[in-house]
């Protein structure tokens, strides 16, 4: 059975994870809240509002629900301005080569992302046509580690979960893939979790 690949987007296909970091850092600095890469790693794979709760920490109780929504919008506005600078040049040769070769070998490819900005990122980076399906933050009510987004992606592909391979940089994403009953591959920050079926150093290791 030819396996299908479901890729996380931010931090796996493109380095928008760094732009998320810059967005949260700017908000945290304005509010006088300490924020660093370690805290940012906890935001990987989780939704915008859940990320905000992580960024605010104990300070979350100081804000009304409406204020929380406007803080998340403030971060998203700055993040979107960074996305506007993205182009095809932001996709590494290693990632492009891997996607092309997997398609050539006959694998179906999908995106499984918690982000509501996935569509705009794929368009700006000229990546939309590489994927047979995109499941993102606009399709789900529960973000990773819940399996919803990966099950949605498998459904869009018309594949059984057991025939899908998840590629993730978030610990929450590996948990999500496992809960979906899929084979999991960790890259980047997720490698440290030690719970993935396989760890890789770069995307093209998938071709080995
Ligand atoms: C995930 C990121 O892909 O999307 C998270 O790893 C982010 O860091 C989440 O919080 C939601 O993204 P967005 O673009 O909808 O704010
Ligand atoms: Mg990610």
């Amino acid at each position: 059975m030819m396996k299908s690949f479901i890729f996380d987007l931010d931090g796996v296909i493109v380095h928008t994870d760094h732009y998320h970091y810059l967005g949260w850092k700017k908000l945290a600095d304005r509010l006088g809240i300490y924020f660093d890469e370690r805290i940012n790693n906890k935001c990987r794979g989780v939704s915008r509002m859940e990320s905000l709760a992580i960024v605010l920490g104990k300070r979350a109780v100081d804000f009304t629900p409406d204020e929380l929504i406007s803080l998340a919008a403030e971060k998203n506005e700055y993040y979107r301005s960074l996305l506007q600078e993205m182009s095809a040049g932001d996709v590494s040769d290693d990632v492009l080569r891997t996607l092309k070769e997997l398609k050539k070998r006959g694998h179906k490819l999908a995106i499984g992302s918690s982000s509501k900005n996935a569509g705009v990122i794929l368009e700006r980076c000229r990546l939309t046509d590489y994927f047979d399906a995109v499941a993102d933050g606009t399709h789900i009510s529960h973000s990773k580690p819940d399996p919803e987004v990966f099950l949605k992606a498998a459904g869009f592909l018309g594949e059984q979960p057991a025939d899908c391979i998840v590629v993730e940089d978030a610990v929450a994403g590996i948990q999500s893939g496992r809960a979906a009953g899929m084979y999991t591959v960790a890259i980047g920050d997720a490698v440290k979790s030690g719970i993935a079926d396989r760890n890789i150093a770069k995307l093209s290791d998938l071709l080995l």
Side-chain angles (χ1 to χ4, degrees), residues 38-51:
R38 191 186 58 82
I39 303 169
N40 188 58
N41 284 338
K42 295 185 188 166
C43 300
R44 286 180 192 272
V46 303
S47 71
R48 194 179 306 163
M49 292 309 289
E50 288 168 302
S51 296

Side-chain angles (χ1 to χ4, degrees), residues 14-35:
V14 279
H15 282 293
T16 40
D17 50 333
H18 183 61
Y19 297 152
H20 278 295
Y21 167 78
L22 293 177
W24 290 126
K25 175 78 178 143
K26 187 169 168 132
L27 180 73
D29 284 352
R30 184 177 77 66
L31 298 172
I33 292 171
Y34 180 76
F35 184 73

